[in-house]
Amino acid sequence: MDAQLWNEQVRRFAPPFGAFLQSWEWGEFQRSMGREIERFFVEEEAGTLLAQGIEMHLPGRQVYWYFPKGPLGTLPFDRKIEIIRERLGSAMFLRLEPQEEVPFPKVSDIQPATTRIIDLRKSEEALFEEMKSKTRYNIRLGERQGVECRMVGKEHFDDFCRLMEQTAVRDRFAAHSCEHYQTMLSSLQGGEVESFLAMAFFEGRPLAGNLCIDFGGARTYLHGGTSNLHRNIRAQFALHAFLFHDAKERGNKTFDFWGIAPVDASENHPWAGISRYKEGYGGTVVSMPGTYDLPMKHLWYSLYGIGKRIKHLG
C-alpha cells in the first residue's frame, strides 16, 4: 500500500483527533529519527484493522511498540490485538491509544487525551463571537498595537527555537530539541501532511511562534513559544486568530488546540493555565480514553515498572 492509499484509510477511520499521528508521513518522520515502523492493514469479514506502530528501545535490548491514536478500524479490539501480537510478539509490551476503553493497565498519557477543537466551518464572525470577551479584547489589542502575523520559513527557525526555550524555562516544561523541530519541519513537506511555522512580530521582533500541522481537514497546533519581551501586547492572541483565518482559507474544517487538562482536573493540574487560555477561543472539548499498555513479557514489564518508580522517586 502506498502513501496515498494509506492516508485514505486513515481519513476513513480517523480518531476524534490526532489522525496525523497515523499518517504515512508521520511514520516516515519517525523513520528519519532512526526508529523502525510497522504498518498493518487487514480486511476481514468482521471489519478492518489499520495501525501504524513505532518501535521504541528500552534497556536490556528490549523494545516496545507504540501506536499513537491507534489502532484504528472496525475489527473487534481483541482481534486487532491478536493480529498485531502475531507480528510483534517479541516486544516487551504494546503501548496503545484506542478509541474505546480497554481492560489493560492505564499509564500516563503520551499524546493528549483531551483537547479543544474549533469548528472552522462556521463564519469568522461566528467564531469571534464564540470567544470569551477577554480573548476578543486581546486579539484587538494586538491589531491596534501593529502586531504582524505571517507564515515564515527556515530563516526564522532559530527565532522559533529561542521562543520555545524561553517559554520552557518560564513555564517549567521540557521542550523538544531544536533538531527535533527541524526534522519535523523538513520531513513533513510536499505530501498530504504539511508542517509549518507561523509567527507574530512587533516592530520587526518575533514575539510568538507556532508550529502546526495540516492533515485530513484538520489543523493541529503542536508547539508554541512566546518571548519574554512585550508580553503586555499579547501577540499570541493575534497569532491564533491569524491561524484560524489561514486554516479556513486553505480548506481546513477544524482547528485542534492539541491538549488541555481533563474536564474534571483540579486547578493545580500542570495544564490548568494553558487550558484556560485555550478555553477563551470557544470550541468543543473532545476526549479519548488515554494510553494503555499491553504487557507481553510480564517479568520484564514488572522490572520496567519498578525501574520507572525508582527513577521517579530519585
Side-chain angles (χ1 to χ4, degrees):
M1 180 177 289
D2 62 18
Q4 182 178 359
L5 291 175
W6 178 270
N7 286 340
E8 284 179 7
Q9 297 301 319
V10 173
R11 290 192 296 272
R12 177 185 173 194
F13 299 113
F17 61 96
F20 71 92
L21 293 169
Q22 284 290 309
S23 70
W24 185 278
E25 288 85 350
W26 189 261
E28 296 309 299
F29 160 58
Q30 294 295 323
R31 283 193 204 277
S32 72
M33 299 288 285
R35 294 170 177 151
E36 292 297 320
I37 300 298
E38 286 284 345
R39 296 187 177 101
F40 297 79
F41 179 69
V42 177
E43 290 184 302
E44 297 181 345
E45 186 174 344
T48 301
L49 164 65
L50 182 77
Q52 178 170 257
I54 305 165
E55 186 183 48
M56 311 295 286
H57 289 268
L58 295 167
R61 298 185 178 180
Q62 298 296 310
V63 301
Y64 72 91
W65 286 87
Y66 171 46
F67 292 80
K69 299 302 178 189
L72 304 176
T74 55
L75 270 178
F77 188 77
D78 288 349
R79 178 57 181 152
K80 291 177 184 176
I81 296 305
E82 182 181 2
I83 295 170
I84 293 172
R85 291 185 69 163
E86 286 175 2
R87 191 188 304 180
L88 305 180
S90 63
M92 185 194 296
F93 62 92
L94 304 178
R95 180 154 287 170
L96 313 163
E97 293 176 345
Q99 298 186 48
E100 66 266 48
E101 293 186 1
V102 296
F104 300 151
K106 191 88 178 283
V107 297
S108 298
D109 290 333
I110 306 301
Q111 307 298 339
T114 305
T115 193
R116 183 171 291 275
I117 293 179
I118 308 298
D119 184 354
L120 297 177
R121 293 169 295 186
K122 298 179 181 180
S123 69
E124 294 202 32
E125 294 76 13
L127 292 175
F128 198 68
E129 285 303 313
E130 289 181 5
M131 298 177 189
K132 290 193 172 182
S133 59
K134 185 176 181 181
T135 300
R136 294 196 298 266
Y137 172 83
N138 285 330
I139 291 171
R140 292 189 182 110
L141 175 65
E143 293 171 349
R144 290 197 302 271
Q145 294 288 339
V147 171
E148 178 195 358
C149 300
R150 65 177 186 268
M151 300 296 184
V152 298
K154 60 184 179 180
E155 71 279 2
H156 284 290
F157 179 75
D158 289 344
D159 293 326
F160 174 73
C161 281
R162 185 173 63 254
L163 292 173
M164 289 300 301
E165 289 166 359
Q166 289 181 17
T167 305
V169 171
R170 187 176 64 242
D171 295 345
R172 300 179 182 179
F173 69 87
H176 291 288
S177 67
C178 288
E179 180 185 8
H180 178 90
Y181 299 128
Q182 190 170 47
T183 304
M184 184 182 298
L185 287 165
S186 61
S187 298
L188 302 178
Q189 298 291 331
E192 293 185 60
V193 181
E194 289 282 348
S195 63
F196 59 88
L197 289 178
M199 281 192 174
F201 298 84
F202 175 67
E203 297 180 346
R205 186 190 301 271
L207 294 189
N210 290 170
L211 192 162
C212 297
I213 283 180
D214 286 356
F215 173 69
R219 170 163 295 179
T220 304
Y221 161 53
L222 274 190
H223 305 290
T226 57
S227 174
N228 292 332
L229 301 174
H230 302 295
R231 293 186 59 75
N232 60 310
I233 292 177
R234 309 292 189 189
Q236 67 271 26
F237 286 87
L239 183 56
H240 272 115
F242 164 78
L243 286 168
F244 288 0
H245 172 78
D246 180 80
K248 284 177 65 66
E249 290 286 305
R250 294 172 190 253
N252 287 291
K253 297 179 177 63
T254 59
F255 183 97
D256 180 358
F257 268 109
W258 198 239
I260 60 172
V263 175
D264 57 355
S266 73
E267 282 298 310
N268 296 324
H269 192 281
W271 289 0
I274 192 65
S275 299
R276 285 192 297 272
Y277 168 77
K278 294 175 180 180
E279 183 182 2
Y281 291 93
T284 303
V285 174
V286 179
S287 294
M288 293 180 65
T291 307
Y292 299 82
D293 282 355
L294 170 57
M296 296 194 293
K297 294 181 179 179
H298 292 275
L299 176 59
W300 274 104
Y301 186 77
S302 296
L303 294 172
Y304 166 75
I306 292 169
K308 287 190 68 175
R309 287 192 291 274
I310 293 172
K311 184 177 179 180
H312 178 72
L313 290 172

